[in-house]
Amino acid sequence: MNFATNIVLTGFMGTGKTTVGQILARKLNREFVDMDALIESRAGMTIPQIFERRGEDEFRALERRLVYELALRNGLVIATGGGALIDDDMRETMVQSGMVLCLNASKADIRARLAENAHRPLAAGWERLLEARASAYAKMPYQIQTTGKTPEEIAGEIAALDRGALYAHTPDGGGYPIIVGRGLLDRLAAEADSLGLAGHVVVVSNETVAPLYAESLVRTLPNANLIITRDGEAHKNLDTVRGIYDELLKLGADRGTTLVALGGGVIGDMAGFVAASYMRGISLVQIPTTLLSMVDSSVGGKVGVDLPQGKNLIGAFKQPRSVIIDTDVLHTLPPSQWRCGMAEVVKHGLIARPSLLDPDLWNLENAERLVRGAVQVKIDVVEVDPYERGIRAHLNLGHTFGHAIEKVTEYAIPHGEAVAIGIVKAARLSRNLGFINDSLVEHILKIMWQIGLPTDIALDPERWYAAMSTDKKWKAGRSRLVVLKKLGEAAVVEGLSKEEICAVL
Ligand SMILES: NC(=O)c1ccc[n+]([C@@H]2O[C@H](COP(=O)([O-])OP(=O)(O)OC[C@H]3O[C@@H](n4cnc5c(N)ncnc54)[C@H](O)[C@@H]3O)[C@@H](O)[C@H]2O)c1
């Protein structure tokens, strides 16, 4: 007896529900139920015959009865008919019974698949039917984009979700799994098929991370090469990108190649930018290895490089195919880098998830839980605001103050430390504006001390303010800063006076 909840695959005809369902069921060692096939065998006729002899209403009634029946069972992989869960009540019934995923495909894919299988009823006016059902499909809790993926890869993605992977929805109606766990790097080769790593893979890493993790990973994958870049923000530029393009061409990388970014945020941003632009875009898998890149930069799709004139001035949005977070790699991370990542974790705790502020979580033993909680905050924000037009700005809590510190000190202060000081300044500003009280400011100071992060710096306020006022987000000299409305909630305030800001500097 399998007590796991059901996995229900729904979606329009031709999106691969049955093929993917069969592979998934084999993979998870579960029973597979194809609703259409079961209805046919029970009725003793094909679905076109049911439509012809008894009419569509009768077919829907059979489907409805079967939905109720299957929802009472456990541990199944179910492929529904394309119209079975359009009705709110049917959808809710299945959602109560397990994980409901909608498979989506491009119109070109659907057309091609229907052409192979012309006997389906309703296939004739399929484009209008798809439009009519689109809003109902959009209500399914998980959206899986199938175009460009093999059924094995789609099944692998869903299997990862079943094992507790997180999932980030993207604006194109798809999304990607974020797999968080221990020892994942050692198991990647065994899962290469389902993770999109079975074909030609090029791993991009740097001179520090490559000997630790990338070289062994490349040896275990069936068809992989490695490109090693210099370490450090100073190399996150177009020269390095150009070098990676050259290497890719030498390695014969084509549009079917998958790029794996294995490293901290610098590698993720840079390799991500290469994946967004090489041959107009190739597949990207992010394997972040610093705490910061795990909880922040690997999720959300922002990629890019620096120019001599400023950081991250060249970039793109490139959603990864998956993000694989093996928290075991944090064992080799220098403590200073751990602390810098913790500044972002604290930020996520303050703006959305106060449970992250529990000191019991701030250690390697609990890294998996810590990362899961913190990355979920990032997912929640980027799903609502993928292109940074609204609440994504909340992720900048403390960053305008922090970026200015980096600028004035000519990057002598590490980013995470600058952010920590910035968060304290933002908290003091929030207190001055009457949003939060002294005790929360004190609490934040204590958190930073416990982690070993600084809370202040001796800088000339005039220079500090001047550096802040060049922030990209300030419009025509009008200030724009993120403050705390209360613990777990941030807001953007605009148009504060220089005096109000300098009072906390
Ligand atoms: N795209 C985004 O949304 C986003 C968000 C935040 C930050 N960023 C970018 O991220 C970058 C900063 O990322 P970072 O803090 O990860 O810095 P980083 O990539 O420079 O890594 C820090 C150092 O740790 C080393 N390292 C990485 N993993 C290691 C491991 N497991 N063991 C030992 N050493 C390891 C690196 O080689 C490097 O020396 C910046 O360029 C920033 O602009 C991007």
Side-chain angles (χ1 to χ4, degrees):
M1 181 70 139
N2 190 338
F3 290 100
T5 55
N6 294 326
I7 299 180
V8 183
L9 306 182
T10 193
F12 199 59
M13 57 182 114
T15 51
K17 300 180 290 289
T18 303
T19 315
V20 171
Q22 282 164 336
I23 299 171
L24 183 64
R26 257 200 316 276
K27 214 175 173 51
L28 300 178
N29 203 13
R30 287 174 176 229
E31 184 183 339
F32 175 61
V33 177
D34 182 277
M35 282 184 57
D36 283 352
L38 191 56
I39 290 174
E40 285 184 332
S41 81
R42 286 181 180 178
M45 53 183 135
T46 64
I47 289 175
Q49 285 168 338
I50 301 176
F51 266 67
E52 211 179 286
R53 297 181 199 167
R54 300 200 197 157
E56 183 173 351
D57 286 353
E58 176 67 23
F59 172 73
R60 297 292 166 211
L62 293 174
E63 219 175 27
R64 185 177 283 266
R65 245 175 279 148
L66 189 53
V67 166
Y68 286 133
E69 179 188 323
L70 295 174
L72 292 175
R73 296 182 57 195
N74 292 314
L76 303 174
V77 172
I78 302 168
T80 75
L85 304 190
I86 294 303
D87 180 273
D88 283 350
D89 179 38
M90 293 296 98
R91 184 190 66 248
E92 275 315 300
T93 303
M94 278 306 199
V95 167
Q96 305 287 325
S97 96
M99 181 161 75
V100 177
L101 306 107
C102 180
L103 304 192
N104 299 298
S106 68
K107 282 191 173 174
D109 272 9
I110 295 175
R111 189 173 297 115
R113 290 185 201 153
L114 292 185
E116 287 166 13
N117 216 334
H119 72 275
R120 295 176 199 247
L122 307 178
W126 70 268
E127 283 192 271
R128 239 177 303 127
L129 188 64
L130 177 60
E131 249 166 57
R133 289 180 178 174
S135 63
Y137 286 140
K139 290 184 194 160
M140 305 303 162
Y142 290 89
Q143 302 289 329
I144 304 285
Q145 192 53 255
T146 62
T147 294
K149 297 177 190 166
T150 64
E152 283 75 18
E153 286 170 10
I154 302 160
E157 215 171 272
I158 299 170
L161 290 177
D162 181 57
R163 284 187 226 114
L166 306 171
Y167 199 78
H169 292 93
T170 49
D172 62 1
Y176 51 92
I178 298 155
I179 306 163
V180 186
R182 302 190 56 181
L184 296 181
L185 280 182
D186 295 334
R187 303 205 298 272
L188 277 196
E191 295 276 341
D193 267 352
S194 52
L195 292 169
L197 302 174
H200 184 217
V201 168
V202 177
V203 177
V204 179
S205 193
N206 72 23
E207 56 203 353
T208 308
V209 180
L212 292 170
Y213 306 109
E215 286 165 6
S216 52
L217 176 66
V218 165
R219 275 197 299 272
T220 60
L221 289 173
N223 180 13
N225 300 106
L226 176 60
I227 296 176
I228 301 178
T229 66
R230 305 275 303 278
D231 190 1
E233 182 77 31
H235 301 286
K236 186 177 133 180
N237 57 32
L238 290 170
D239 291 339
T240 313
V241 165
R242 171 67 196 264
I244 300 173
Y245 292 146
D246 287 343
E247 288 289 317
L248 285 172
L249 286 167
K250 267 193 236 155
L251 293 168
D254 59 21
R255 298 199 66 188
T257 298
T258 297
L259 212 64
V260 172
L262 181 72
V266 166
I267 286 292
D269 276 12
M270 197 158 52
F273 182 70
V274 170
S277 50
Y278 183 75
M279 296 194 173
R280 296 207 177 82
I282 59 174
S283 216
L284 171 70
V285 171
Q286 291 272 13
I287 307 186
T289 61
T290 60
L291 183 57
L292 178 137
S293 56
M294 290 176 182
V295 302
D296 195 349
S297 57
S298 61
V299 171
K302 280 210 291 184
V303 295
V305 292
D306 305 335
L307 285 182
Q309 293 88 334
K311 276 186 66 172
N312 298 323
L313 289 181
I314 303 294
F317 281 96
K318 171 74 185 171
Q319 305 295 349
R321 167 169 279 196
S322 58
V323 180
I324 299 163
I325 302 180
D326 182 346
T327 52
D328 279 351
V329 305
L330 293 171
H331 282 95
T332 55
L333 192 68
S336 57
Q337 293 297 338
W338 168 271
R339 289 195 293 272
C340 285
M342 277 305 300
E344 304 293 346
V345 173
V346 169
K347 177 194 75 184
H348 287 187
L350 291 172
I351 64 170
R353 192 178 273 238
S355 59
L356 293 169
L357 305 175
D358 174 0
D360 287 348
L361 281 181
W362 306 340
N363 48 55
L364 286 174
E365 291 70 51
N366 289 305
E368 196 180 330
R369 268 175 67 205
L370 182 77
V371 168
R372 269 180 170 278
V375 84
Q376 188 63 56
V377 173
K378 176 91 190 223
I379 295 170
D380 292 345
V381 171
V382 299
E383 279 188 344
V384 175
D385 182 17
Y387 298 120
E388 204 166 343
R389 297 192 178 122
I391 71 152
R392 194 158 174 170
H394 293 182
L395 295 170
N396 286 328
L397 179 75
H399 280 58
T400 307
F401 291 100
H403 287 152
I405 296 173
E406 290 180 273
K407 214 167 185 176
V408 173
T409 62
E410 293 176 352
Y411 297 93
I413 303 288
H415 177 73
E417 293 188 11
V419 167
I421 298 168
I423 289 173
V424 171
K425 296 296 175 193
R428 290 195 193 285
L429 184 62
S430 314
R431 193 253 338 258
N432 288 356
L433 294 171
F435 294 136
I436 64 172
N437 56 26
D438 280 328
S439 70
L440 181 52
V441 179
E442 290 299 319
H443 184 49
I444 295 170
L445 283 168
K446 198 171 142 211
I447 288 171
M448 299 303 184
W449 290 329
Q450 276 176 295
I451 295 169
L453 285 163
T455 53
D456 211 347
I457 184 170
L459 276 192
D460 171 16
E462 283 294 329
R463 287 182 67 204
W464 196 343
Y465 179 80
M468 285 175 71
S469 60
T470 61
D471 189 281
K472 285 193 283 235
K473 280 136 197 134
W474 289 28
K475 296 220 170 69
R478 193 176 150 82
S479 75
R480 210 162 177 271
L481 285 166
V482 185
V483 294
L484 283 176
K485 287 294 277 280
K486 60 179 189 190
L487 181 59
E489 188 183 325
V492 174
V493 287
E494 294 189 26
L496 293 178
S497 68
K498 180 177 172 186
E499 289 66 38
E500 282 173 298
I501 296 169
C502 283
V504 299
L505 295 184

